[in-house]
Amino acid sequence: MRTQVAIIGGGPSGLLLSHLLNRAGIETVVLERQSRDYVLSRIRAGVLERGTVDLLHRAGVGARMTREGHTHSGCYLTHDQQMIRMDFAAACGAAVTVYGQTEVTRDLYDAQDAIGAQHIHGVEAVALHDLDSARPHITYTLDGQSHRLDCDFIAGCDGFHGVSRKAIPANLRREYEKVYPFGWLGVLSETPPLHEELIYANHPRGFALASMRNPMLSRYYIQVPLSDKVQDWSDAAFWEEFSARMPEDVAAGLITGPSIEKSIAPLRSFVSEPMRYGALFLCGDAAHIVPPTGAKGLNLAASDVHYLSTGLLAHYNEKDSAGLDDYSQKALARVWQAMRFSWQVTTLMHHFPEHSDYDRQMQRVELMQLATNPAAQRMFAENYTGLPY
Ligand code: APR
Ligand code: PHB
């Protein structure tokens, strides 16, 4: 089999890239290890930067997001009992859209179906070959049979645990990693959200986040030690701990209910450079991971896809390869900015076991600066709503 761009991974990065290319007349094949139902069962964050929203509209998949997503022009940070509003509209004239990543992925699958895009699910033993030659190709097995896919380019959109990144020779790859000493326990419940805007809470007992999907679906998180197991946390214990970390007057309005999903995710920052090797281009979680505190994971995947799709279009339509040559450098410049913001907000809002009273004073002063200083508010708002591409 042959295609122009072979895409490994059918998560949001791979699907969005495939859709943008297909709409411009470029052929793709998406190879995904899991079933579609499995991909659509994963619960991830739900905050879209304006750039991501614009890109989804340009890809022609924004209609349901416009109908069902919610525009948020601010969020709250708390310090113990104090609610500090980050007013994005006043600080930088921008907003974010709250719309679940699972829904973005579903919209992309539906749009790909409507144009008859080629997706192969259930592939195993995916291997990349001859990346530094003019004849790159992929081998894989499907239902026990071996297959070969020839292509011009390969997009490695296969997430942190995928094979693409590791196909770049180790001596050409540089990896940067920071692992945080805690995880987030997340709960999804069919209850009205605690508040109309997201609340990120810094509390002596640890971080907590009140988020949402829609008026009858809430998403809540609490920081937990990495040694905790989901089964250690009953729903009642979760609600009690979550309430204790929110300001008392806000927690008084909490409506609890049974959890419909409960999971623990570790927090990590990771970058692998470069994001290109010969015919291979990495996108999204395959090249970088951010802790969820800044809600940047999907948004960084979107900016990578923007740069790569623009480069591929110029290559095929105008025989101009400058965008492909610049891809790694441009994508990484934005990745590192989001890394810094995600690290800053993570460091600001969590309880670190090794923190001294001095470190906690630094958190307090930084939060007070965010409460009172328009320059600090603007910097937060610009980063949260998304730096320009
Ligand atoms: N072969 C084929 N597919 C693979 C392989 C493989 N060897 N390894 C992983 N995959 C698939 C996974 O099953 C998954 O569906 O690649 C996909 C990668 O999707 P994500 O992990 O969602 O990564 P990405 O599309 O870059 O999305 C980035 O979305 O998933 C979130 O936390 C992530 O928010 C971030 C954003
Ligand atoms: C979520 O709604 O799941 C969510 C929102 C904001 C974050 C992280 C997760 O920073």
Side-chain angles (χ1 to χ4, degrees):
M1 192 175 23
R2 185 176 165 85
T3 191
Q4 290 177 297
V5 181
I7 298 176
I8 307 177
S13 304
L15 296 174
L16 181 56
L17 179 67
S18 178
H19 204 61
L20 287 162
L21 296 179
N22 293 164
R23 277 165 59 95
I26 299 169
E27 249 183 48
T28 63
V29 173
V30 175
L31 300 175
E32 167 58 53
R33 188 171 54 177
Q34 307 285 358
S35 68
R36 179 185 296 208
D37 285 347
Y38 181 92
V39 174
L40 287 173
S41 69
R42 293 191 293 227
I43 311 279
R44 297 274 169 78
V47 176
L48 307 181
E49 295 176 351
R50 53 190 164 163
T52 305
V53 169
D54 291 347
L55 186 61
L56 291 168
H57 281 302
R58 266 188 280 143
V61 292
R64 193 162 70 96
M65 173 178 68
T66 302
R67 280 199 311 276
E68 297 177 17
H70 294 268
T71 303
H72 284 214
S73 54
C75 72
Y76 287 87
L77 307 179
T78 80
H79 186 241
D80 204 356
Q81 299 301 313
Q82 186 184 350
M83 290 275 274
I84 304 167
R85 175 128 197 281
M86 294 290 101
D87 186 335
F88 310 146
C92 72
V96 291
T97 298
V98 171
Y99 186 64
Q101 178 173 318
T102 313
E103 305 313 313
V104 172
T105 310
R106 191 184 305 282
D107 294 343
L108 284 163
Y109 269 121
D110 289 348
Q112 285 269 273
D113 285 349
I115 60 171
Q118 297 190 73
H119 294 182
I120 304 173
H121 283 269
V123 298
E124 291 177 322
V126 170
L128 294 72
H129 307 275
D130 298 334
L131 297 174
D132 54 353
S133 80
R135 299 177 62 88
H137 64 278
I138 297 173
T139 54
Y140 60 94
T141 62
L142 183 67
D143 301 328
Q145 302 251 355
S146 301
H147 296 268
R148 171 177 168 139
L149 174 60
D150 288 280
C151 55
D152 301 333
F153 298 106
I154 298 173
C157 302
D158 47 352
F160 182 65
H161 299 288
V163 290
S164 301
R165 179 177 70 253
K166 294 168 202 140
I168 301 179
N171 61 329
L172 300 180
R173 230 185 314 137
R174 174 128 194 226
E175 296 187 346
Y176 302 81
E177 186 170 46
K178 183 171 178 65
V179 177
Y180 298 89
F182 39 72
W184 278 16
L185 168 64
V187 156
L188 194 64
S189 80
E190 287 170 323
T191 49
L194 176 62
H195 197 276
E196 70 259 22
E197 290 182 343
L198 273 68
I199 303 176
Y200 292 84
N202 174 315
H203 190 276
R205 298 177 72 107
F207 170 79
L209 167 60
S211 183
M212 65 204 70
R213 293 290 176 274
N214 64 48
M216 263 317 282
L217 194 57
S218 298
R219 181 70 169 158
Y220 297 116
Y221 300 93
I222 55 172
Q223 169 189 352
V224 293
L226 282 170
S227 51
D228 279 17
K229 301 273 169 289
V230 175
Q231 54 274 20
D232 302 339
W233 283 93
S234 65
D235 285 358
F238 177 87
W239 293 122
E240 191 181 329
E241 188 58 37
F242 174 80
S243 303
R245 296 182 187 192
M246 286 285 148
E248 281 161 20
D249 48 345
V250 178
L254 178 69
I255 298 174
T256 63
S259 63
I260 57 170
E261 195 264 358
K262 198 189 279 166
S263 52
I264 295 183
L267 267 68
R268 170 201 308 271
S269 301
F270 172 83
V271 182
S272 179
E273 296 185 343
M275 287 173 61
R276 176 194 188 169
Y277 171 66
L280 170 66
F281 295 82
L282 301 180
C283 280
D285 277 19
H288 41 76
I289 300 282
V290 278
T293 330
K296 292 292 170 224
L298 174 62
N299 293 299
L300 275 185
S303 56
D304 291 350
V305 166
H306 164 74
Y307 293 128
L308 182 55
S309 59
T310 309
L312 287 166
L313 257 64
H315 169 86
Y316 282 112
N317 297 341
E318 293 147 40
K319 299 197 174 5
D320 174 0
S321 291
L324 292 181
D325 294 340
D326 284 354
Y327 169 71
S328 180
Q329 193 199 332
K330 270 197 192 156
L332 282 167
R334 196 169 189 281
V335 164
W336 278 113
Q337 299 251 34
M339 284 288 150
R340 190 208 63 80
F341 180 67
S342 306
W343 161 82
Q344 179 200 12
V345 187
T346 302
T347 309
L348 177 66
M349 301 307 292
H350 287 78
H351 182 86
F352 285 72
E354 72 272 22
H355 266 185
S356 62
D357 287 350
Y358 178 89
D359 296 315
R360 282 187 274 279
Q361 287 293 343
M362 292 301 103
Q363 287 187 331
R364 182 185 65 76
V365 174
E366 194 173 335
L367 280 161
M368 288 315 110
Q369 215 167 49
L370 282 164
T372 55
N373 181 328
Q377 289 162 357
R378 178 166 180 179
M379 182 119 167
F380 184 97
E382 281 177 353
N383 280 276
Y384 193 91
T385 58
L387 297 175
Y389 294 178

